[in-house]
Amino acid sequence: ESLYKTIDRQKEDTKIIYGLSTDNKLEEKHWQELLKSIDRAKKILVLCGQLPPDFLLNDSLVQLCNDPRICVLTESHSNLVHDYFIGTIDRLIIGFDEEQIAFFRPDILITLGNNIISRKIKAYLREGNAEHWHIDAAAEPLDTFQRLKKIVPLSPRQFIVEWVQRHKPQSGNYATLLSAMHLQNRNSATSFIESTRFCDLSAMATIVSFLPDGSCLQMANSAVVRYIQLFDPRADIRYFANRGVSGIDGCTSTAAGAAYASGQLTTLITGDIAFLYDSNAFWNNYISDHLKIIVLNNAGGGIFRIIEGPSSSEAMEEFFETHHNRTAEALAAMYGIPYLSAADSNELSKGLSALYHSKGCMVLEVHTPRLENDKVLKDCFKMIKNNQLQLRNESLQLDKH
C-alpha cells in the first residue's frame, strides 16, 4: 500500500509459473496431473471474478458443488448466481478469527475470470499455502495472490465443463461449513440493515431490490461497486463494472455507451465524485432513453473513510475524501436531463418508482450523511462478527454437553 505506508521486504526467490500446453484442448497428461492434485485436496476454492453471463458455465459449477470439498465464491460482476454459490465474499469473511481464516484458506485455489474486487480475500489468500491455478484462454494473468502455480489456457466454460465430466466427488466439510457461516452472516446483515438509519448501506439495499427484472446494472468505482458486493447477487440482473486500475474515470460514459449499444434498460449506480468527474459524459447525441442514473451523494469520497490507511491519515479530508457541497442537479439541467433527489427512505422509494416509470433518461440523486456512513458499515460488520462468535460459542457449549 504505497500511498499509505512502506515496509521492508527481502527479495524472494524466483518463482516458476507453469503454462500448460494446449491446442484448444488440454493434453491428457495435464488433465491427469490436475485430477491427482484435486483428489488429494481437502479444500478447493473456486473464485470467480469478472465474466460475461454464461449459463453453461453457471450450471457446470452447480454440478461441482455436489462435492463438499469444493466451495464456489463469486463476485457480482462474475454474473454467476446460484444458492450453492457464496456471492458475498466480504460479508462471509469479515468476522473470521485466526482459526477460521486458517480453515478458510484452501489447498487449491482455482480462479476464473478477471479482476477480484475484495481486498480482504486477497490479503487472506496471499498469506496461505494454496496452490493457485488460473483458467484463462487469452490473457497472461497477474499473480494477484502471489501463489500462482499453473496457467490453464482454456476458457472457464471449457475447463469447468470437462472437469465436471471427469470429476468424482468425495467426502468433506469445507463447503458445508462455509455455507453455514454465509447463511448466518446473511441473517445478521439483513436484520441490521432493516433497523439501521438512512445511509449509504440502507439506501443501497433499497436500490438493489428496486432494479427491474432483466435489466443491466453498471457499477461505478469505488465505494458503489464494493457496497453491491455485500448483497446477494440477483440472477435476473446483468452486472457490469470497469475494473482494472479501478479509477473513477469514465463510469458514466461507459454506462451511456452500454445503454445505447445494448438497447436494454441500464441503471448506473455511481458516487458523487465519480459522477462529477465524468461531467461531459452526456455531451453527445446518443443518450438512450433506457439509461437511468442513481447518484449516491455523501459529499465526498466516502470510500476513504472505510478502507484502512486513508481513514487514519492526517491528509484524509483534504486530499483523499475531497469534501464538497455540490449536487448533480445543475449538471443534469445543463444537458436537459430530468432530475430527482431523495434524502430519506420514503423519498428514495418514491424517487425509484418515478425513475423507472419515466420514459427517458433521468438522474436520481440520493443524499446520505457524510459522517455517518462509515460508522454504520463498521457497526454492521461488528454485529456480523459478534453474532458469528456467539453462535460458535453456543455450538462449543452444546458439543461439551
Side-chain angles (χ1 to χ4, degrees):
E1 294 291 359
S2 56
L3 282 176
Y4 320 133
K5 60 183 179 180
T6 59
I7 60 172
D8 293 323
R9 184 192 301 178
Q10 290 183 327
K11 185 177 180 180
E12 298 178 358
D13 293 336
T14 301
K15 177 170 57 177
I16 298 174
I17 300 171
Y18 297 95
L20 307 185
S21 59
T22 177
D23 182 16
N24 295 321
K25 183 179 180 181
L26 200 61
E27 293 183 14
E28 185 61 28
K29 64 178 181 180
H30 292 321
W31 265 118
Q32 293 305 319
E33 176 187 346
L34 296 176
L35 291 171
K36 284 181 182 178
S37 296
I38 288 171
D39 286 344
R40 289 194 297 266
K42 294 182 179 179
K43 298 183 292 184
I44 302 167
L45 185 64
V46 180
L47 179 58
C48 306
Q50 193 168 17
L51 286 164
D54 188 325
F55 296 113
L56 180 56
L57 173 59
N58 200 97
D59 291 345
S60 298
L61 284 169
V62 170
Q63 294 181 60
L64 279 181
C65 291
N66 291 324
D67 189 326
R69 299 175 303 143
I70 300 174
C71 180
V72 177
L73 295 188
T74 67
E75 292 190 316
S76 61
H77 64 340
S78 72
N79 288 290
L80 297 167
V81 184
H82 194 273
D83 288 344
Y84 290 167
F85 308 159
I86 297 176
T88 51
I89 295 173
D90 280 355
R91 197 177 72 188
L92 168 71
I93 65 181
I94 193 66
F96 282 2
D97 58 25
E98 289 302 318
E99 184 177 342
Q100 290 169 317
I101 293 171
F103 174 79
F104 170 72
R105 289 175 176 140
D107 303 318
I108 297 175
L109 169 65
I110 299 174
T111 53
L112 313 177
N114 295 322
N115 295 283
I116 300 296
I117 297 167
S118 172
R119 294 161 60 94
K120 190 168 289 293
I121 197 173
K122 294 173 188 175
Y124 283 176
L125 294 176
R126 283 170 184 162
E127 295 300 320
N129 295 311
E131 181 174 316
H132 177 197
W133 309 344
H134 184 69
I135 317 301
D136 197 324
E140 291 292 335
L142 296 173
D143 189 7
T144 302
F145 304 100
Q146 301 169 9
R147 292 287 179 271
L148 187 59
K149 187 71 173 178
K150 293 183 174 71
I151 299 171
V152 181
L154 298 175
S155 71
R157 175 199 286 189
Q158 188 176 357
F159 177 81
I160 297 298
V161 167
E162 187 161 357
W163 181 12
V164 168
Q165 294 171 351
R166 293 169 173 267
H167 185 62
K168 297 178 181 178
Q170 298 183 22
S171 60
N173 65 354
Y174 183 57
T176 305
L177 293 178
L178 290 179
S179 293
M181 295 179 198
H182 164 61
L183 294 176
Q184 291 170 6
N185 292 358
R186 173 196 285 168
N187 293 336
S188 296
T190 300
S191 175
F192 179 91
I193 293 169
E194 287 176 348
S195 61
T196 197
R197 53 198 180 277
F198 188 70
C199 60
D200 281 351
L201 183 63
S202 61
M204 190 66 75
T206 301
I207 292 166
V208 170
S209 69
F210 253 88
L211 295 173
D213 294 352
S215 61
C216 299
L217 172 61
Q218 291 279 340
M219 304 175 289
N221 296 318
S222 6
V224 166
V225 74
R226 289 179 170 85
Y227 268 114
I228 290 175
Q229 307 315 308
L230 300 176
F231 300 94
D232 293 299
R234 289 173 48 180
D236 60 318
I237 299 294
R238 297 181 69 185
Y239 293 82
F240 299 93
N242 276 335
R243 298 302 297 175
V245 294
S246 304
I248 59 173
D249 317 54
C251 296
T252 311
S253 296
T254 299
Y260 175 79
S262 70
Q264 295 181 299
L265 180 60
T266 299
T267 301
L268 167 66
I269 306 178
T270 184
D272 48 328
I273 300 297
F275 183 75
L276 295 171
Y277 195 87
D278 196 10
S279 60
N280 65 347
F282 306 107
W283 201 340
N284 63 79
N285 298 321
Y286 303 96
I287 301 303
S288 171
D289 288 345
H290 301 295
L291 178 62
K292 311 294 181 181
I293 300 167
I294 301 171
V295 181
L296 278 180
N297 189 339
N298 50 32
I303 185 66
F304 295 111
R305 289 185 172 273
I306 297 169
I307 59 178
E308 295 179 9
S311 60
S312 58
S313 170
E314 294 180 358
M316 197 276 291
E317 290 200 11
E318 183 174 1
F319 295 109
F320 287 102
E321 184 187 34
T322 57
H323 175 49
H324 68 90
N325 296 308
R326 294 171 176 83
T327 73
E329 184 174 11
L331 182 58
M334 183 171 72
Y335 291 106
I337 298 174
Y339 169 89
L340 296 171
S341 68
D344 59 41
S345 56
N346 290 330
E347 289 180 356
L348 177 57
S349 295
K350 292 177 182 177
L352 288 166
S353 180
L355 181 74
Y356 290 116
H357 283 92
S358 67
K359 293 183 179 180
C361 179
M362 179 178 281
V363 172
L364 170 62
E365 186 168 29
V366 185
H367 298 275
T368 62
R370 166 177 167 249
L371 301 178
E372 295 293 322
N373 291 310
D374 62 307
K375 296 175 184 177
V376 173
L377 183 61
K378 290 171 184 176
D379 285 345
C380 181
F381 287 160
K382 186 184 295 184
M383 178 181 179
I384 290 172
K385 189 171 185 175
N386 289 341
N387 287 353
Q388 193 176 99
L389 179 62
Q390 181 179 348
L391 287 168
R392 190 177 181 193
N393 289 337
E394 289 174 355
S395 178
L396 290 173
Q397 290 297 322
L398 289 173
D399 289 343
K400 288 181 180 179
H401 293 291

